[in-house]
Amino acid sequence: MRDTAVVPRAATGESSLARAVRVLEAFTPEEPEPTVSELARRSGLHVATASRIVGQLTAHGLLGRGEDRRVRIGVRMWELASRASPTRSLRDAAMPYLEDLHAVVGHHVQLAVLQGEEVLFLERLSARDAVVNYSRVAGRLPLHISSSGVVLLAYGPPELGDRVLARPMERRTPATITTPERMRAVLEQVRRQGYALLAGHVHENATGIAVPVRNGLGDVVAALSVIVPNDERAAAAVPALLAAARGVSRSLPPRGPADQPA
Amino acid sequence: MRDTAVVPRAATGESSLARAVRVLEAFTPEEPEPTVSELARRSGLHVATASRIVGQLTAHGLLGRGEDRRVRIGVRMWELASRASPTRSLRDAAMPYLEDLHAVVGHHVQLAVLQGEEVLFLERLSARDAVVNYSRVAGRLPLHISSSGVVLLAYGPPELGDRVLARPMERRTPATITTPERMRAVLEQVRRQGYALLAGHVHENATGIAVPVRNGLGDVVAALSVIVPNDERAAAAVPALLAAARGVSRSLPPRGPADQPA
DNA sequence: CCGCACCTCTCATCCATTGAGAAGGTGTTC
DNA sequence: GAACACCTTCTCAATGGATGAGAGGTGCGG
């Protein structure tokens, strides 16, 4: 019995706040209601530590617990995040146009922004009988896969394009863009025609069409897109999309949201 | 020179996580982009402490900072909160019906839940030429003021009604319910007719109409409401509201969201 | 009844956290 | 342009809250 006797704390050198964040990051769309043990495993924390952190956050309403003791994101956290979110002005400005667009085109209408090197979907309206769609609100998708991503890439900073092109691109369907040459050609075409139309890149039966949304300064701050069936009528949605994007731009507050990725 | 010489730390007896939460709570809808000093003042923390906490949360993306160093809720926090939120299933189920209702009735259509002793608005669709409306997404309103609140009160736990009736009720317009007797009568009427119609209670020119949304077990889990101009045509929206509420109930997952207040 | 998994509490140790103050920056006033 | 007001961040020594192991309780399945 020597050093082992009692080792109250291994020198981790990590702040306690960082651990709490690790717990929050352990929530995934696939498992929205994990147990304390699962959270501990995923965050790499000791079970006791995870239990304590969950207890504290629950006391403040940021987390919630079911009768089976499973942990959920708390309504209070949603409230805090939604209330003052920088995405709110964008969403508020876009919502009426999303509705109009949805009424005309049907299926799925979405609003997305660039976040890191992925697309983050802020809002989505879906018809009950719409075609398949893998995106969801607060969900992410790789840039090269979706029409929204291609638009944000085409109008985004050049170094972002370099980074994305340098990496291998996952294939989802035979139509998915997977080579830098092909992507460069597509981006050039998007910039020329002002929209992206990707037929069957995410799913065989679906076509994504996306257009850029600009703020008062002309910067592209978001992408507006529709997902429609993959047939010859798909392109008919383009004019409505372009018109809607202009409407959103006009409704945007002058100092547009230009949130830099973390 | 007394005890002051060097006092590195006053015994606050509060966890560091609690301080971080205090910082988050200091964000308000009125001031969504405070400075570090403002956050410190509102949360009652030392400026240095607030600065450090903001620095850490920013590093993890939960907060964001503008060029002017002002602090905002980070997109990552919105993402985490929205991704796994317990309100999501409710919102997803209700959204199509909100849209339909909005297309027919116009003005404002909203979805709200009971949170603590207030109404919390989860979603809202607004027409561009709609009448005034004080609610907003992620915003709160006292129970006795809004039609949504009255519905949630009418079908909520009895002890909640007792607590709310025992407290003085703030008056917004001459029509606002402010006495327990009046409120009791209104609640009785709401339960009898199955909806609440409050003309001019929040604002002279607006009428709120709300109906309950039930889960599979018959519990009332939310309120669906519209805000229309305060005239004799207002009541015409009631049938559409009732029909929409039934639709939402049907779309709700069997184990309905019944989030108990913190 | 036993084994297994989960959750929470206690404990002794100690490192991350703390408030005051200083330093540096920015914008405004006179 | 100097003085001022205000904000933000860094350093510092002291310490109190956070830590991991383990015990104890609970619940489930065989």
Side-chain angles (χ1 to χ4, degrees):
Chain A
M1 70 289 300
R2 268 205 58 270
D3 52 358
T4 59
V6 173
V7 182
R9 176 193 223 167
T12 59
E14 191 182 30
S15 88
S16 68
L17 225 179
R19 294 161 197 263
V21 175
R22 290 244 291 280
V23 169
L24 292 180
E25 301 268 5
F27 286 87
T28 64
E30 289 72 34
E31 179 47 280
E33 294 198 15
T35 64
V36 170
S37 300
E38 280 168 356
L39 283 176
R41 272 192 295 274
R42 265 187 244 153
S43 59
L45 295 175
H46 194 276
V47 198
T49 305
S51 176
R52 251 178 281 128
I53 291 176
V54 167
Q56 293 217 28
L57 292 177
T58 303
H60 289 96
L62 295 197
L63 296 182
R65 306 200 71 164
E67 299 173 15
D68 52 359
R69 304 261 76 197
R70 283 179 168 271
V71 188
R72 292 167 298 177
I73 296 289
V75 177
R76 182 114 195 90
M77 177 152 169
W78 174 85
E79 185 182 348
L80 285 171
S82 305
R83 195 160 62 179
S85 168
T87 66
R88 223 193 65 179
S89 61
L90 183 55
R91 199 204 91 101
D92 287 351
M95 210 51 186
Y97 297 95
L98 283 180
E99 277 191 81
D100 293 347
L101 201 54
H102 193 222
V104 174
V105 180
H107 297 283
H108 307 280
V109 181
Q110 3 184 262
L111 179 70
V113 294
L114 183 64
Q115 190 66 5
E117 302 190 1
E118 293 175 304
V119 193
L120 176 66
F121 290 92
L122 297 186
E123 189 58 82
R124 190 182 87 166
L125 297 179
S126 297
R128 276 178 283 265
D129 57 348
V131 294
V132 293
N133 183 3
Y134 289 131
S135 71
R136 27 175 140 180
V137 172
R140 289 168 177 256
L141 235 43
L143 283 175
H144 74 280
I145 297 252
S146 69
S147 56
S148 300
V150 170
V151 159
L152 293 171
L153 204 48
Y155 295 96
E159 59 275 18
L160 175 69
D162 296 341
R163 282 204 303 277
V164 171
L165 286 177
R167 257 202 291 281
M169 306 180 211
E170 179 203 353
R171 173 182 296 282
R172 293 277 175 106
T173 74
T176 306
I177 305 169
T178 53
T179 67
E181 297 72 35
R182 177 83 197 293
M183 179 56 88
R184 251 184 273 274
V186 169
L187 292 179
E188 182 50 45
Q189 189 191 7
V190 167
R191 277 188 285 260
R192 217 169 43 236
Q193 66 189 11
Y195 65 90
L197 192 156
L198 269 49
H201 285 221
V202 178
H203 188 282
E204 307 261 5
N205 299 337
T207 291
I209 315 176
V211 300
V213 175
R214 299 172 186 277
N215 66 7
L217 290 68
D219 309 319
V220 173
V221 294
L224 199 59
S225 61
V226 298
I227 309 289
V228 294
N230 184 3
D231 59 32
E232 65 286 343
R233 295 166 311 184
V238 171
L241 256 177
L242 289 168
R246 297 184 67 94
V248 176
S249 294
R250 223 181 316 108
S251 305
L252 232 39
R255 293 253 325 125
D259 210 58
Q260 39 269 38
Chain B
M1 68 294 299
R2 276 193 52 269
D3 54 354
T4 59
V6 171
V7 182
R9 176 193 225 168
T12 59
E14 192 182 31
S15 88
S16 67
L17 225 179
R19 293 162 197 262
V21 175
R22 288 245 291 280
V23 168
L24 292 180
E25 302 268 4
F27 285 86
T28 65
E30 288 71 34
E31 179 48 279
E33 294 199 15
T35 64
V36 170
S37 299
E38 281 168 354
L39 283 176
R41 271 192 296 274
R42 263 187 247 155
S43 59
L45 296 175
H46 194 274
V47 199
T49 305
S51 176
R52 253 177 279 129
I53 291 176
V54 168
Q56 293 217 30
L57 291 178
T58 303
H60 289 95
L62 295 197
L63 296 181
R65 306 200 69 163
E67 300 173 14
D68 52 359
R69 305 263 75 195
R70 283 177 171 271
V71 188
R72 293 168 297 176
I73 298 289
V75 178
R76 183 113 195 88
M77 176 150 167
W78 174 84
E79 187 183 347
L80 284 171
S82 306
R83 197 159 62 177
S85 168
T87 66
R88 224 193 64 180
S89 61
L90 183 55
R91 200 203 89 102
D92 287 351
M95 207 54 185
Y97 296 96
L98 284 180
E99 277 191 82
D100 293 347
L101 200 54
H102 192 222
V104 174
V105 180
H107 298 283
H108 307 280
V109 181
Q110 0 184 265
L111 179 70
V113 295
L114 182 64
Q115 190 68 5
E117 301 190 1
E118 292 175 305
V119 193
L120 177 64
F121 290 93
L122 296 186
E123 188 59 83
R124 191 181 86 168
L125 297 179
S126 297
R128 276 179 283 267
D129 58 348
V131 293
V132 292
N133 184 2
Y134 289 132
S135 71
R136 28 175 138 182
V137 172
R140 288 168 176 256
L141 235 44
L143 283 174
H144 74 281
I145 296 251
S146 70
S147 56
S148 300
V150 170
V151 160
L152 292 171
L153 204 48
Y155 295 97
E159 60 275 19
L160 175 68
D162 297 340
R163 282 204 303 277
V164 171
L165 287 177
R167 256 202 293 280
M169 307 180 209
E170 178 202 355
R171 174 181 296 282
R172 293 277 175 108
T173 74
T176 305
I177 305 168
T178 53
T179 66
E181 296 72 33
R182 178 86 196 293
M183 179 57 88
R184 252 184 271 272
V186 169
L187 291 179
E188 183 49 45
Q189 188 191 10
V190 167
R191 278 188 283 259
R192 215 169 44 234
Q193 66 191 11
Y195 65 89
L197 193 156
L198 270 50
H201 285 224
V202 178
H203 189 283
E204 306 260 5
N205 299 337
T207 291
I209 315 176
V211 301
V213 176
R214 299 171 185 276
N215 66 8
L217 289 69
D219 309 318
V220 172
V221 294
L224 199 58
S225 62
V226 297
I227 308 289
V228 294
N230 185 3
D231 58 33
E232 66 285 344
R233 293 166 313 181
V238 170
L241 256 176
L242 288 169
R246 295 185 70 93
V248 175
S249 294
R250 225 180 315 108
S251 305
L252 232 40
R255 291 257 321 126
D259 211 58
Q260 39 269 37

